[in-house]
Amino acid sequence: MVSMMTDIDLNKLPRHIAIIMDGNGRWAQNHTLGRIMGHQKGVEAVQRTVRLCREIGIKYLTLYAFSVENWSRPDQEIKALMKILREYLRSELDEMLRNGIRLATIGDIDSLQEPVRNLLQETMERTAENKEMVLNLALSYGGQNEILQAVRRILKDAKEGRFDADALSKASFASYLYTAGMPDPDLLIRTSGEYRISNFLLWQSAYTEFYFTDVLWPDFGKEDLFAAIADYQQRERRYGFTSDQLRRQKVD
Ligand code: IPE
Ligand code: IPE
Ligand code: MG
């Protein structure tokens, strides 16, 4: 059989990939299963994706696992998601340590229940020295809240003399975001055929390349990831310049 695998250029990889992992509920519905089974199946796609990204050399992978808006879901679903998260963290620690993966989180982590919070904390501490890849989980994350909490902290620091208001810049502002110290995402993938940002990385995605696929998250596999990366590699990131200008820059 001829391999269908899309070719990607390993020298032109996105440094940071962010994924809105959507479609677990619809996947379950299509298989006449309950939504929770969809989330469970989604974990397998997470494991596949983390492994692949690590293998090919992606440095930052941010996964949107639970939005601040997702607190509106039925209690039973939220409980199940938190349990799945705990199980995931427990089962992956060894692999993270073996493969040099550092766990990070973004979001309102304090709003999570203590057992999850403790486990996140412990996993972050144990993987803190790992250097190969950052696995960044967005939990209770909302981009608008992230910006607001940054503004609140800046105002407080300015008032208490720790921040010079005249020094407010894009860089100093970004250092107050949950993503402080991380590069902005180069590629943002959303599965399940939805074309919206759903409050994800609003500040950080100013110049991110977007890739949308109809594939539901539990079905997302190697071919889909490679297709997204290959598509990204075809793009010209112009940052407001003209194509001509960019070509000339390359020559110079
Ligand atoms: C994404 O799948 C997972 C989370 C938001 C936690 P959904 O649960 O949103 O799946 P759909 O959109 O209902 O299919
Ligand atoms: C976005 O998915 C959040 C996550 C993937 C965790 P949703 O399914 O919650 O998004 P909306 O509300 O349909 O836009
Ligand atoms: Mg959804």
Side-chain angles (χ1 to χ4, degrees):
M1 206 180 93
V2 180
S3 166
M4 299 286 287
M5 196 51 70
T6 312
D7 280 333
I8 57 168
D9 179 352
L10 293 177
N11 297 313
K12 243 180 85 178
L13 289 173
R15 184 144 75 119
H16 183 174
I17 297 180
I19 308 183
I20 303 178
M21 310 182 288
D22 200 8
N24 294 351
R26 277 162 286 167
W27 183 93
Q29 199 170 26
N30 293 346
H31 290 77
T32 53
L33 296 165
R35 294 182 57 83
I36 304 205
M37 290 300 288
H39 296 312
Q40 244 143 19
K41 203 70 189 166
V43 173
E44 294 174 26
V46 170
Q47 289 164 327
R48 269 198 300 277
T49 305
V50 172
R51 214 162 282 159
L52 276 167
C53 284
R54 169 67 185 82
E55 264 171 40
I56 62 175
I58 301 297
K59 287 296 168 193
Y60 293 83
L61 175 65
T62 296
L63 300 178
Y64 204 3
F66 193 81
S67 75
V68 75
E69 285 77 19
N70 289 147
W71 289 115
S72 311
R73 293 198 177 189
D75 273 356
Q76 195 204 2
E77 182 168 342
I78 297 175
K79 276 210 188 91
L81 281 167
M82 294 303 151
K83 183 160 175 258
I84 289 171
L85 174 61
R86 287 203 311 274
E87 287 166 356
Y88 172 77
L89 292 169
R90 282 205 197 92
S91 73
E92 297 314 288
L93 179 62
D94 280 350
E95 189 171 320
M96 285 188 215
L97 292 171
R98 245 196 336 270
N99 292 335
I101 299 174
R102 173 162 73 84
L103 183 79
T105 58
I106 53 172
D108 180 14
I109 300 305
D110 289 344
S111 69
L112 301 172
Q113 286 165 337
E114 207 173 283
V116 188
R117 242 173 31 221
N118 291 345
L119 197 54
L120 283 167
Q121 194 55 43
E122 195 188 313
T123 313
M124 287 194 290
E125 281 165 17
R126 296 207 38 201
T127 61
E129 299 304 318
N130 290 351
K131 298 273 186 284
E132 297 304 322
M133 181 174 99
V134 175
L135 170 60
N136 183 31
L137 296 182
L139 293 164
S140 193
Y141 176 87
Q144 292 177 324
N145 282 356
E146 177 182 37
I147 292 170
L148 284 181
Q149 66 80 35
V151 172
R152 277 192 207 103
R153 281 169 47 223
I154 289 171
L155 291 175
K156 187 164 184 281
D157 282 356
K159 200 167 136 195
E160 294 168 7
R162 286 188 301 269
F163 185 89
D164 173 8
D166 293 333
L168 185 60
S169 64
K170 283 191 279 186
S172 66
F173 184 77
S175 74
Y176 280 82
L177 296 173
Y178 299 134
T179 49
M182 291 182 205
D184 287 341
D186 301 294
L187 170 63
L188 188 150
I189 300 169
R190 183 170 190 148
T191 57
S192 88
E194 305 291 353
Y195 299 88
R196 55 176 175 265
I197 192 86
S198 300
N199 205 6
F200 193 41
L201 300 175
L202 298 180
W203 170 276
Q204 298 87 341
S205 63
Y207 260 105
T208 298
E209 298 293 331
F210 287 72
Y211 180 86
F212 297 97
T213 170
D214 287 340
V215 172
L216 302 174
W217 177 250
D219 290 327
F220 191 84
K222 183 171 181 174
E223 177 59 21
D224 303 302
L225 179 71
F226 278 32
I229 295 174
D231 196 278
Y232 164 85
Q233 292 179 331
Q234 298 296 315
R235 314 247 184 121
E236 182 179 51
R237 303 185 75 185
R238 285 192 285 277
Y239 298 99
F241 291 90
T242 67
S243 278
D244 267 359
Q245 285 177 303
L246 293 173
R247 269 194 293 273
R248 253 178 276 138
Q249 266 175 16
K250 269 189 207 143
V251 176
D252 292 345

